Amino acid sequence: MAHKSVCVLDVRSMSVTAIVGAAGVNNTFVFKGSQSQEYDGYEDGRFYKEGELKKAVYAALEAAEGSAGEHVKTVYVSVPGEFSKIVDKKHLIAFPAPKRIASGDIDVLYKDGYGSVEEPSHENIHASALYFITSDARKVTDPTGIVSSTLQANVCYILAACYYTDLFRQMLREYGFRKVVFVPASYMQAVYLLSEDKRKEGALLLDIGAISSTVSVVYGDGILKERTFWAGEGHIAAELCAGLSVSYEDAAELLKRANLFRTGVADVCLDEERRFSTDKVNEYIKAGLDKLCEPLGQFLDECPAPVANRPLLMTGEGVTGLRGAAEHISRRINRETEIVSPAIPYYNKPSMSSRISLLDYALRDSKKDGFLYKLINGFGG
């Protein structure tokens, strides 16, 4: 029996990737069509050129669907941290008499609690619990089946800016999709990349992009705290451009060839004529990394107890592939670092984390008939 296909659109800070895929064997994926397109990016919650973004989105979708030979009616779209907002709220509902808790009761709790966090400039795209508490004071991650007279939860609502959802909903319906489901980028990566045990304990996840990076405090089945800052691979390349008087394209190529572990050895070469001192290249790269470390360190200093001493888990297409970058960041923030990526052949690269996490989310969600799928759609997905 053939597996049902899904279509996803992963929006990064300077590129979009469309994938038409299906579930494979042993938690793998079947990629029927995939295409990435660059665009100009965004800043302060607005895309630089919406028209160019639309062209990139359509080109990626047309190529992916062309390779797959099919058009799926629903598309899942990732929402970067730049356009999302985390709202954590404790909420309690009481029952007339003790009862066995069902998924519908969790649905009611989420919907009942949302009224107090609703904002006209944002729409809710996700609700999950960091933990639940039953009437006998048990703290659990899943209360389903437990007999209780009350149900309390620390709920994580993730809101998306209406500017973002309105823009993509109109764009994608014009393209031909009947339904657009928005998925918070930090949450989908936390669920896919981190084990359930690691999330229960609390974890720190840093997603480094081209020009924007997001660090999240992951706890239970939600995000406790999050911050997005204007720093990424593009800013490191800009340091090389200014310091070495090279083009952005050449700076990006130098980043690929650089190795922060190497000092006082052979030059970094673009070709036979353009050779640059390894020490100078590394100096400018470290200056760029330091611009990432400064706001990151401030965030980590404010972290709550569950993750105060946890290692920083790093992913994304930014600098996670640069040899020595994780070690430099570790020294600057005085915290252990670790690179995380999808645990599947060929796609086990940090640059693949976001798109694979989105594909995994879409495949799992497309099978659901329960409260979560209805909840997302009910809140404007």
Side-chain angles (χ1 to χ4, degrees):
M1 179 179 175
H3 290 285
K4 178 181 177 182
S5 297
V6 296
C7 181
V8 303
L9 181 70
D10 187 31
V11 181
R12 303 293 290 173
S13 54
M14 289 189 73
S15 68
V16 293
T17 299
I19 300 174
V20 177
V25 296
N26 299 324
N27 297 317
T28 59
F29 307 97
V30 176
F31 294 87
K32 299 182 177 181
S34 177
Q35 180 66 35
S36 296
Q37 295 288 140
E38 293 185 352
Y39 72 100
D40 294 315
Y42 52 71
E43 185 176 4
D44 295 330
R46 289 291 187 274
F47 289 97
Y48 290 132
K49 298 178 182 178
E50 294 176 8
E52 295 302 313
L53 169 67
K54 184 175 181 179
K55 289 179 182 178
V57 167
Y58 281 14
L61 287 168
E62 288 168 0
E65 290 186 338
S67 297
E70 60 179 310
H71 173 72
V72 183
K73 296 177 182 178
T74 298
V75 60
Y76 290 79
V77 183
S78 64
V79 181
E82 179 76 14
F83 300 96
S84 64
K85 180 178 181 181
I86 307 295
V87 180
D88 286 314
K89 175 179 172 55
K90 290 183 173 66
H91 193 67
L92 180 146
I93 58 174
F95 309 116
K99 60 167 292 185
R100 195 172 300 278
I101 295 172
S103 61
D105 299 315
I106 300 173
D107 187 359
V108 170
L109 184 147
Y110 288 163
K111 288 184 177 180
D112 191 51
Y114 176 64
S116 62
V117 302
E118 190 171 2
E119 298 184 15
S121 61
H122 289 70
E123 63 175 273
N124 187 26
I125 59 170
H126 175 82
S128 59
L130 306 181
Y131 56 83
F132 295 91
I133 299 177
T134 54
S135 56
D136 58 357
R138 270 187 288 176
K139 188 176 180 180
V140 297
T141 55
D142 183 5
T144 306
I146 296 176
V147 176
S148 180
S149 59
T150 61
L151 181 62
Q152 181 180 355
N154 189 335
V155 184
C156 164
Y157 295 101
I158 304 183
L159 315 182
C162 291
Y163 163 79
Y164 186 93
T165 56
D166 290 346
L167 177 66
F168 276 94
R169 190 177 284 115
Q170 179 178 348
M171 182 192 309
L172 293 168
R173 285 180 176 168
E174 287 177 0
Y175 182 86
F177 289 104
R178 293 185 183 179
K179 185 181 292 294
V180 182
V181 179
F182 294 101
V183 185
S186 55
Y187 176 80
M188 72 189 191
Q189 292 190 86
V191 169
Y192 180 71
L193 296 172
L194 310 183
S195 68
E196 184 177 354
D197 287 343
K198 188 163 285 188
R199 286 184 277 122
K200 283 181 181 178
E201 295 171 352
L204 287 165
L205 181 63
L206 173 63
D207 178 15
I208 305 176
I211 56 176
S212 177
S213 299
T214 298
V215 59
S216 308
V217 177
V218 182
Y219 190 71
D221 191 34
I223 306 295
L224 182 59
K225 186 178 181 181
E226 183 171 281
R227 187 171 299 168
T228 297
F229 36 85
W230 193 242
E233 183 182 38
H235 298 84
I236 300 170
E239 290 286 335
L240 289 170
C241 290
L244 301 176
S245 299
V246 297
S247 68
Y248 185 87
E249 291 73 20
D250 286 344
E253 186 60 33
L254 283 171
L255 271 176
K256 293 178 184 177
R257 303 186 184 195
N259 184 341
L260 299 185
F261 292 126
R262 302 176 66 184
T263 57
V265 295
D267 294 340
V268 182
C269 304
L270 289 175
D271 51 43
E272 292 183 0
E273 296 181 355
R274 293 181 296 171
R275 308 169 67 90
F276 302 91
S277 161
T278 296
D279 290 342
K280 276 294 181 183
V281 169
N282 289 353
E283 176 187 337
Y284 293 124
I285 290 176
K286 289 176 181 179
L289 285 172
D290 290 347
K291 291 184 177 179
L292 170 68
C293 292
E294 184 175 348
L296 175 60
Q298 292 173 357
F299 176 85
L300 295 176
D301 288 342
E302 303 165 5
C303 277
V307 294
N309 298 309
R310 301 291 182 197
L312 178 66
L313 308 176
M314 299 167 51
T315 197
E317 72 274 17
V319 297
T320 49
L322 174 61
R323 287 162 292 184
E327 290 76 9
H328 179 79
I329 292 173
S330 177
R331 287 192 296 271
R332 281 300 313 275
I333 64 173
N334 194 29
R335 187 182 292 257
E336 181 184 347
T337 58
E338 178 185 338
I339 304 295
V340 291
S341 58
I344 53 176
Y346 182 71
Y347 298 98
N348 57 344
K349 304 176 182 66
S351 58
M352 296 289 177
S353 292
S354 184
R355 67 189 71 175
I356 300 300
S357 297
L358 179 58
L359 180 59
D360 174 74
Y361 182 99
L363 288 167
R364 287 185 291 106
D365 190 70
S366 65
K367 299 176 182 177
K368 290 181 180 178
D369 294 320
F371 72 91
L372 181 58
Y373 184 79
K374 295 175 182 178
L375 177 66
I376 293 174
N377 289 322
F379 282 128

